[in-house]
Amino acid sequence: MAAIVRLDDLDDPRLRDYVDLRDVQLRLRLESERGLFLAEGEKVVRRAVESGHRPRSFLMSPRWLDGLADILDASDAPCFVLDDAAIERLTGFHVHRGALAALERPDLPTPEQVLADARRVVVIEDLADHTNVGAIFRSVAALGFDAVLLSPRCADPLYRRAIKVSMGSVFWLPYARVEDWYGAPDLLRAAGYTTYAMTLADDSVPIDQVDHDVERLAVVVGSEGHGLTARWEQGADHRITIPMAADIDSLNVASSVAVACWELRARS
Amino acid sequence: MAAIVRLDDLDDPRLRDYVDLRDVQLRLRLESERGLFLAEGEKVVRRAVESGHRPRSFLMSPRWLDGLADILDASDAPCFVLDDAAIERLTGFHVHRGALAALERPDLPTPEQVLADARRVVVIEDLADHTNVGAIFRSVAALGFDAVLLSPRCADPLYRRAIKVSMGSVFWLPYARVEDWYGAPDLLRAAGYTTYAMTLADDSVPIDQVDHDVERLAVVVGSEGHGLTARWEQGADHRITIPMAADIDSLNVASSVAVACWELRARS
């Protein structure tokens, strides 16, 4: 059962995992070094814990204690209690639904493990925007794809903003980071996947005209600005596109992935 | 040709259209009362003007004057020049790509006019989130739908955040607001449209199993929280759903609309 610890000193070292939540660069470094991630809001804290992540501590204002009582009862991590104004000073912003938790960053499976257990995956290359990464996880999960692979420079799915936009699907949807990104096309091929790179290249095939009756399938997307690297433009089995109305900027990357997951879904 | 007016007094009444851009409630009231909307960023300012909207004034720091010279040359509206720090104090935030314009809010066409000129429309009911409204416009435009209808309580497509997320498609994609919302199903029917309400109701038809070989088609979506009102749940010709993987929260509303526009696109 979590010890309830009322604090009033914002410099208390036990609160150091919660400082300056609006400073993205600081947080990315700090969370990575300390091996933690942050869950924000009663529902997200609950989902993080219920999906098996191990809390280091909780931080909330008094009025959230009752709603999360079952979660706190089942945990050995301490629960720090501050009033809402103090939490806002500590974290640097107004915390949505006033509860936070710092949790152990999980060990990720290897790409090989993820690919072995899946049939439909999305591969994300160098997407720097946490909102887009979270939105892609949400779409992938909702549309019945099984897993996600990330390039080394792709944004962190366990960053607070990505978690929120993903509706917590980053907690349970399997994903892995591929360290040898140059070898990624071969890695997928060796695991039995047919790869479909989403591109705006002139000779790409409209997504509704490509054969996708395959056992294992990977949709590969790049960043909104630069698109896929040459390695993937040249290394994928198929290059596909969503036909756009004339003179239109492309779809948002998360919407593109939603359309692709829908069109290329397993139909058996 | 726009007069270039260097200012240093932030209380100058000529700057009053640009105050407190982070205060959403204030801005919504102020922009509505004054009949204006705001474009932010060099590219957005350019698109707003080039799509035929009439500028009242421009506001930028000196380094944006060259890039927008052709736009300024073609306009009679004054261009106020402040340094970046002063613009930030005036507007309350760091302006993305340091140029702004205040433009006349256009007279919208009537719903009847919009429906007469279109074949595929999206109807949005009570969606309060500007990001989602902008994202829907972007998807609708990219996927070749022709127009959007809005309920009275739907968020303003010409609010700064919606414009940005829409990639400027709100400037040229036809849309109208339906004042008599109760009458909206009949309005669409009278204009020859078959309506497809997106719903999570148990008896809705999976979107890939509904007949959509119709001349004129409307996709109707509600808010993420509450879904559609009973009027639309009962009044639409078809109730459709995107089948979701078990136990998953639904797709984001903009991604749902992207999938629906894709699946229900005109195929002739």
Side-chain angles (χ1 to χ4, degrees):
Chain A
M1 186 176 158
I4 309 295
V5 185
R6 291 180 195 266
L7 299 175
D8 48 22
D9 175 10
L10 297 187
D11 292 326
D12 191 304
R14 290 173 290 182
L15 293 175
R16 65 175 195 154
D17 287 346
Y18 297 96
V19 298
D20 293 335
L21 295 185
R22 290 190 67 180
D23 185 336
V24 179
Q25 292 311 316
L26 169 74
R27 293 300 309 185
L28 289 174
R29 184 169 56 70
L30 177 156
E31 295 181 13
S32 154
E33 283 173 6
R34 298 187 193 161
L36 64 83
F37 71 96
L38 228 75
E40 174 197 0
E42 181 190 10
K43 196 184 287 185
V44 175
V45 168
R46 176 177 294 281
R47 286 188 185 181
V49 175
E50 289 180 346
S51 60
H53 295 84
R54 196 178 138 78
R56 291 183 181 192
S57 68
F58 302 90
L59 171 65
M60 61 193 72
S61 60
R63 67 197 161 109
W64 299 104
L65 288 168
D66 280 352
L68 284 166
D70 56 322
I71 297 291
L72 298 174
D73 282 350
S75 174
D76 292 331
C79 177
F80 306 122
V81 176
L82 293 171
D83 64 30
D84 284 317
I87 291 177
E88 190 164 338
R89 282 201 304 280
L90 177 69
T91 61
F93 79 126
H94 177 72
V95 175
H96 179 67
R97 300 186 65 78
L100 293 160
L103 301 107
E104 301 281 349
R105 193 166 273 271
D107 292 329
L108 294 183
T110 65
E112 289 81 356
Q113 288 168 333
V114 165
L115 291 171
D117 293 339
R119 286 181 61 201
R120 292 283 182 281
V121 305
V122 168
V123 179
I124 312 177
E125 181 179 68
D126 297 356
L127 194 55
D129 184 274
H130 291 102
T131 301
N132 280 334
V133 168
I136 288 176
F137 270 76
R138 183 176 177 187
S139 292
V140 165
L143 291 169
F145 268 50
D146 306 311
V148 174
L149 293 185
L150 307 173
S151 75
R153 290 191 289 181
C154 195
D156 178 12
L158 289 178
Y159 185 69
R160 188 169 54 88
R161 175 80 191 150
I163 293 173
K164 189 170 173 180
V165 174
S166 86
M167 301 293 277
S169 58
V170 294
F171 294 147
W172 56 264
L173 190 76
Y175 72 91
R177 215 175 265 277
V178 181
E179 297 303 334
D180 169 22
W181 190 243
Y182 188 82
D186 293 334
L187 173 77
L188 281 142
R189 196 166 291 122
Y193 282 78
T194 305
T195 53
Y196 296 74
M198 297 189 73
T199 165
L200 297 174
D202 287 340
D203 60 344
S204 57
V205 179
I207 192 169
D208 53 333
Q209 293 171 27
V210 71
D211 173 26
H212 59 91
D213 184 17
V214 297
E215 179 62 23
R216 292 182 155 181
L217 177 156
V219 172
V220 188
V221 291
S223 77
E224 291 215 318
H226 302 96
L228 289 168
T229 55
R231 178 63 177 157
W232 268 114
E233 283 278 357
Q234 291 152 16
D237 297 313
H238 299 278
R239 295 197 292 164
I240 60 172
T241 193
I242 301 170
M244 298 288 160
D247 298 329
I248 307 296
D249 277 298
S250 65
L251 275 178
N252 162 274
V253 64
S255 295
S256 296
V257 170
V259 170
C261 287
W262 170 253
E263 187 66 25
L264 303 180
R265 68 196 181 278
R267 309 208 183 192
S268 57
Chain B
M1 186 176 159
I4 308 295
V5 184
R6 290 180 195 266
L7 298 176
D8 48 22
D9 175 9
L10 297 187
D11 293 326
D12 191 304
R14 290 173 290 181
L15 294 175
R16 65 174 196 157
D17 286 346
Y18 297 96
V19 298
D20 293 335
L21 295 185
R22 290 189 66 180
D23 186 335
V24 179
Q25 292 313 315
L26 170 72
R27 293 300 309 185
L28 289 174
R29 184 170 55 71
L30 178 154
E31 295 181 12
S32 156
E33 284 173 5
R34 298 188 193 160
L36 63 84
F37 71 95
L38 228 76
E40 174 197 359
E42 181 190 11
K43 196 184 288 185
V44 175
V45 168
R46 175 177 294 282
R47 286 188 185 181
V49 175
E50 289 180 345
S51 60
H53 294 84
R54 193 177 141 78
R56 291 184 181 192
S57 68
F58 302 90
L59 171 66
M60 61 192 72
S61 60
R63 65 197 162 109
W64 298 104
L65 288 169
D66 281 351
L68 285 166
D70 57 322
I71 298 290
L72 298 175
D73 281 350
S75 174
D76 292 330
C79 177
F80 305 123
V81 177
L82 292 171
D83 66 30
D84 284 316
I87 292 177
E88 190 165 338
R89 281 200 303 282
L90 177 70
T91 61
F93 79 127
H94 176 73
V95 176
H96 178 69
R97 300 185 66 80
L100 294 159
L103 302 106
E104 300 282 349
R105 193 166 276 269
D107 292 329
L108 294 183
T110 65
E112 289 80 357
Q113 288 169 332
V114 166
L115 290 172
D117 294 338
R119 287 182 60 201
R120 292 282 182 281
V121 304
V122 168
V123 180
I124 313 177
E125 181 179 69
D126 297 355
L127 195 55
D129 184 275
H130 291 101
T131 301
N132 281 334
V133 169
I136 288 175
F137 270 77
R138 181 176 177 187
S139 292
V140 165
L143 292 168
F145 268 49
D146 306 310
V148 175
L149 293 185
L150 307 173
S151 74
R153 289 192 290 181
C154 196
D156 178 12
L158 289 178
Y159 186 68
R160 185 169 55 89
R161 174 80 190 149
I163 293 172
K164 188 171 173 179
V165 173
S166 84
M167 301 294 277
S169 57
V170 294
F171 293 147
W172 55 265
L173 191 75
Y175 72 91
R177 214 175 267 277
V178 181
E179 297 303 334
D180 170 21
W181 191 241
Y182 188 83
D186 293 334
L187 173 77
L188 282 142
R189 195 166 293 120
Y193 283 77
T194 305
T195 53
Y196 297 75
M198 299 189 72
T199 166
L200 298 173
D202 287 341
D203 60 343
S204 58
V205 178
I207 192 170
D208 52 334
Q209 292 170 29
V210 72
D211 173 27
H212 58 91
D213 184 18
V214 296
E215 179 60 23
R216 291 181 154 181
L217 178 155
V219 173
V220 188
V221 292
S223 77
E224 291 216 318
H226 302 95
L228 289 168
T229 55
R231 177 64 179 156
W232 268 114
E233 283 278 356
Q234 291 152 17
D237 297 313
H238 300 277
R239 296 199 290 163
I240 59 171
T241 193
I242 300 170
M244 297 287 160
D247 297 330
I248 307 297
D249 277 297
S250 65
L251 276 177
N252 162 273
V253 64
S255 295
S256 296
V257 170
V259 170
C261 288
W262 170 252
E263 187 66 25
L264 303 180
R265 67 196 180 280
R267 309 208 184 192
S268 57

